[in-house]
């Protein structure tokens, strides 16, 4: 039987005492009971801390307390700090961040005269740059929302163009979700040490590298002294990763008689699986993860503006802020959304799962303040797999959006990921909401493309080819509707990385046309008079076909069979997916089982709906049919 005990400790740079213990009811990254917990005790008195540790050891020693039903009784016998440390997070509730933001800052909709616009597209296509132009923020002075050539937007960013003061509501990933990511980073760092022992590869540079990102006079820049402290902390983390690898991983490899850097890939994978198990059980590993959590909470403490709501552990749940000062508002919101290099070390961006802002933002290329809600989220991956699924985080918002704007790169239009979006929009019945923005239109080059008309034809030819490739999968009716939607509402844009006032007149015209399209979306649609009649027997076959295809694909991904063209998933990715499922998440990278089954069901049911048994009367045209 495992014995659980508690001890006190002090975190570097903090005067108070903390309590450390392995929790018998909470599971670690390997889904085994005994997660090592560290909680602040709120005291600098060593004797008081000892008393609290003694109480925790009494609680840990008696299994009768190991139930949430005993919390009220425990509160009578033990100090509140001990009770909270043990019972908090035993059953972590899956917080609905969108509902939380809605309670803090309601999102207006059609009844309020607002059009909700969902922007979807591959990473780097220019979604966030488009948002900047639509809300009139300056790329140099405001830097909001943040953009870069790499993946930048990792959280939902919702912007409401409205009168009144500037208001913000920010929500955060849970501590459990964050811990999963931290522990995976530690595992990966240890694997990197095993692969390469060169000190040069682990050198973050000296003080010169710090000076490059410490910009004097920049209010957002981390001071040089603090930046040096961050560098020292990083070096300490790296030294501890090395020590962890040498202390735990190397002995495992010695027993296996494996030279890791020279071993075959399959042998490396097998060795890593054993190493990972040993690392997760090491106190050095859990102490490192807990120190990183403490550092994160230290960053939260540095934000002085606005109001935080936190759990008893100190973990942030939400942050709100309101001001009439536009410049100050954007400066404060950037701590939760920026990727500005001089601010590294203080940014809370990786913790944020949603940013909602409201205020008198407005485009500069029109005199009007359009009543729009702009919803920008994480970009789609650049996957070559034409059967890729669109994440449930995106597809859930299709129904609440009035316009779905697919943002694609005109230089290489309609590749696998945009096609996956088109398929998802079509088979879910939302093609009437579709508009497509092609960015980088100014970058299209070719001897046979002398002017904008030829370039537009070139892009639209790619659209027709792409949608045509979907016809066999999603059905001719849906494919035709998608094609008509794109041809009617395609917008060619370029130069979005710069200032709005420097855009050519034609681009400004396209942006105004896009806004008009979005505003018209709230007008009620004409209700058709003809109606289809179905034989539900066909629905049974559609569902059966969808589930069989899903099972075939995932049997191949998991290496249980070879019934599909999808690639086999790496064991480490499957384990990472399993960890997330334990905590209520449904995907990891390209592994999206929930999105995959939804895609297959939607596709097959859409094809069923495309072939009714009869009609109440003959439809007038294809539009009425769809």
């Amino acid at each position: 039987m495992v014995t659980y005990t508690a001890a006190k400790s002090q975190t570097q740079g903090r005067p108070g005492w903390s309590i450390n213990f392995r929790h018998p009811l909470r599971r670690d990254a390997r889904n085994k009971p005994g997660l090592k917990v560290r909680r602040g005790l709120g005291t600098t008195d060593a004797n008081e801390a000892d008393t609290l540790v003694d109480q925790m050891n009494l609680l840990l020693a008696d299994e009768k307390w190991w139930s949430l039903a005993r919390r009220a009784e425990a509160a009578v016998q033990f100090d509140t700090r001990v009770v909270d440390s043990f019972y908090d997070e035993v059953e972590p509730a899956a917080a609905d961040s969108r509902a939380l933001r809605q309670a803090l800052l309601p999102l207006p909709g059609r009844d309020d005269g607002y059009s909700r616009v969902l922007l979807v597209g591959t990473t780097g296509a220019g979604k966030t740059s488009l948002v900047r132009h639509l809300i009139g923020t300056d790329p140099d002075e405001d830097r909001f929302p943040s953009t870069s050539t790499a993946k930048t937007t990792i959280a939902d960013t919702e912007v409401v163009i409205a009168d009144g003061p500037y208001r913000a509501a920010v929500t955060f990933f849970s501590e459990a979700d964050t811990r999963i990511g931290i522990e995976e980073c530690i595992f990966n760092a240890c694997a990197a040490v095993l692969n390469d022992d060169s000190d040069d590869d682990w050198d973050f540079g000296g003080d010169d590298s710090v000076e490059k990102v410490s910009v004097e006079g920049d209010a957002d820049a981390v001071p040089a002294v603090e930046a040096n402290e961050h560098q020292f902390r990083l070096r300490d983390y790296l030294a501890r990763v090395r020590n962890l690898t040498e202390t735990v991983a190397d002995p495992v490899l010695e027993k296996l008689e494996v030279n890791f850097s020279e071993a075959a890939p399959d042998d490396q994978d097998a060795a890593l699986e054993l190493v990972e198990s040993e690392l997760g059980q090491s106190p050095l590993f859990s102490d490192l993860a807990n120190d990183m959590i403490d550092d994160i909470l230290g960053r939260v403490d540095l934000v002085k503006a606005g109001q935080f709501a936190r759990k008893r552990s100190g973990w942030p749940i939400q942050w709100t802020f309101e001001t009439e000062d536009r410049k100050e508002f954007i400066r404060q919101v950037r701590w939760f959304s920026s990727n500005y290099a001089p601010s590294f070390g203080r940014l809370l961006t990786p913790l944020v799962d949603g940013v909602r802002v409201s205020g008198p933002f407005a485009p500069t290329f029109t005199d009007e303040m359009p009543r729009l809600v702009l919803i920008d989220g994480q970009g789609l991956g650049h996957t070559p797999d034409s059967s890729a699924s669109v994440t449930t985080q995106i597809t859930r918002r299709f129904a609440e959006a009035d316009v779905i704007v697919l943002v694609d790169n005109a230089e290489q239009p309609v590749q696998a990921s945009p096609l996956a979006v088109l398929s998802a929009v079509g088979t879910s019945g939302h093609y009437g909401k579709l508009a497509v923005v092609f960015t980088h239109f100014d970058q299209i080059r070719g001897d046979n493309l002398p002017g904008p008309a030829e370039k537009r034809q070139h892009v639209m030819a790619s659209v027709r080819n792409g949608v045509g490739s979907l016809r066999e999968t999603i059905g001719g009716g849906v494919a035709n509707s998608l094609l008509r939607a794109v041809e009617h509402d395609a917008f060619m844009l370029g130069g979005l990385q710069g200032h709005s006032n420097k855009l050519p007149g034609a681009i400004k015209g396209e942006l105004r046309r896009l806004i008009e399209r979005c505003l018209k979306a709230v007008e009620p649609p004409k209700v058709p008079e003809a109606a289809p009649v179905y034989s539900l027997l066909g629905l049974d076959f559609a569902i059966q076909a969808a589930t069989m295809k899903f099972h075939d694909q995932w049997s191949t991904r998991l290496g249980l069979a070879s019934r599909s063209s999808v690639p086999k998933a790496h064991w480490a990715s499957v384990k990472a997916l399993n960890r997330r499922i334990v905590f209520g998440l449904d995907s990891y990278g390209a592994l999206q089982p929930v999105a995959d089954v939804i895609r297959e069901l939607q596709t097959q049911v859409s094809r069923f709906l495309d072939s009714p048994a009869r009609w109440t009367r003959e439809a007038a045209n294809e539009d009425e049919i769809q």
Side-chain angles (χ1 to χ4, degrees), residues 237-472:
Y237 282 151
L238 292 174
R240 291 169 66 180
V241 166
R242 275 195 173 283
N243 181 50
L244 178 61
T245 307
E246 293 168 358
T247 304
V248 179
D250 287 351
V252 173
L253 297 178
E254 287 177 8
K255 288 182 181 179
L256 295 173
E257 297 182 352
V258 172
N259 185 331
F260 191 84
S261 60
E262 297 179 2
D266 288 346
D267 292 336
Q268 285 188 342
D269 287 346
L272 275 179
E273 194 162 6
L274 294 173
V275 165
E276 183 180 9
S277 178
E278 291 297 319
L279 287 172
Q281 298 178 53
S282 170
L284 297 175
F285 179 90
S286 52
D287 287 343
L288 180 55
N290 281 325
D291 284 348
M292 291 181 176
I293 293 288
D294 284 344
D295 275 356
I296 288 171
L297 292 176
R299 289 191 187 187
V300 177
D301 294 337
L302 294 174
V303 179
K304 304 303 180 184
Q307 298 291 326
F308 276 104
R310 303 200 199 190
K311 292 190 173 183
R312 283 187 286 258
S313 65
W315 193 262
I317 303 171
Q318 66 192 47
W319 177 82
T320 54
F321 184 54
E322 180 175 326
T323 181
E324 299 281 352
D325 187 332
R326 181 181 186 277
K327 185 176 181 180
E328 176 64 11
F329 177 80
I330 291 178
R331 191 174 81 83
Q332 295 299 335
V333 170
R334 280 200 300 255
W335 295 118
F336 305 92
S337 64
S338 176
N339 64 343
Y340 186 50
S343 299
F344 286 1
R346 284 198 175 188
L347 295 176
L348 296 173
T349 307
L351 304 184
V352 173
D353 77 341
V355 177
R356 182 174 295 182
V357 299
S358 174
F361 300 100
T364 61
F365 49 81
T366 178
D367 295 331
E368 299 179 1
M369 183 182 288
R371 296 168 74 83
L372 296 176
V373 174
L374 303 173
I375 304 170
D376 182 18
Q378 184 170 338
L380 304 169
H382 293 276
T383 173
D385 184 3
S386 59
S387 64
S389 298
V390 181
T391 64
T392 56
Q393 185 178 2
I394 293 173
T395 56
R396 283 193 200 106
R397 308 205 75 157
F398 283 178
E400 69 181 66
D402 298 298
V403 184
I404 301 169
V405 177
L406 171 59
V407 181
D408 196 13
N409 189 334
E411 292 182 278
Q412 296 177 319
V414 201
Q415 300 295 309
S417 292
L419 275 178
V421 174
L422 290 174
S423 177
V425 170
T427 57
S428 60
H430 294 294
Y431 40 75
K433 301 177 179 180
L434 182 66
V436 182
V437 167
F438 291 100
T439 59
H440 302 92
F441 187 67
D442 54 322
Q443 300 299 315
I444 297 177
R445 299 286 186 270
D447 295 338
N448 59 333
L449 305 172
E454 291 80 9
K455 292 179 181 179
R456 184 184 182 91
Q457 290 174 6
H458 168 73
V459 172
M460 295 310 297
S462 297
V463 172
R464 286 186 283 273
N465 290 336
V467 174
S469 69
L470 296 176
R471 189 175 297 275
E472 183 177 347

Side-chain angles (χ1 to χ4, degrees), residues 26-29 35-38 174-185 286 289-290 293 315 583:
R26 294 180 63 183
R27 294 182 175 271
D28 60 19
L35 174 71
K36 189 168 184 181
V37 175
R38 177 189 294 167
S174 70
E175 182 176 352
D177 294 343
T178 307
R179 183 180 292 273
I180 291 174
I182 288 173
E183 291 182 351
E184 286 177 351
C185 286
S286 52
N290 281 325
I293 293 288
W315 193 262
F583 291 98

Side-chain angles (χ1 to χ4, degrees), residues 107-145:
L107 206 66
R110 186 177 295 229
D111 293 341
D112 306 297
Y114 272 81
S115 177
R116 294 184 180 181
V117 182
L118 175 66
L119 293 99
V120 186
T122 52
T123 298
K127 293 187 291 90
T128 308
S129 295
L130 174 59
V131 171
R132 281 185 175 182
H133 288 278
L134 294 176
I135 67 175
T137 52
D138 188 280
D140 298 322
E141 294 183 9
D142 296 325
R143 302 193 310 277
F144 176 79

Side-chain angles (χ1 to χ4, degrees), residues 121-172:
T122 52
T123 298
K127 293 187 291 90
T128 308
S129 295
L130 174 59
V131 171
R132 281 185 175 182
H133 288 278
L134 294 176
I135 67 175
T137 52
D138 188 280
D140 298 322
E141 294 183 9
D142 296 325
R143 302 193 310 277
F144 176 79
S146 291
T147 63
S148 77
T149 54
K151 183 181 292 185
T152 305
T153 306
I154 62 170
D156 286 338
T157 302
E158 304 157 332
V159 183
V160 182
I161 300 175
D163 295 323
Y166 293 95
R167 302 171 63 197
V170 176
T171 53
F172 300 87

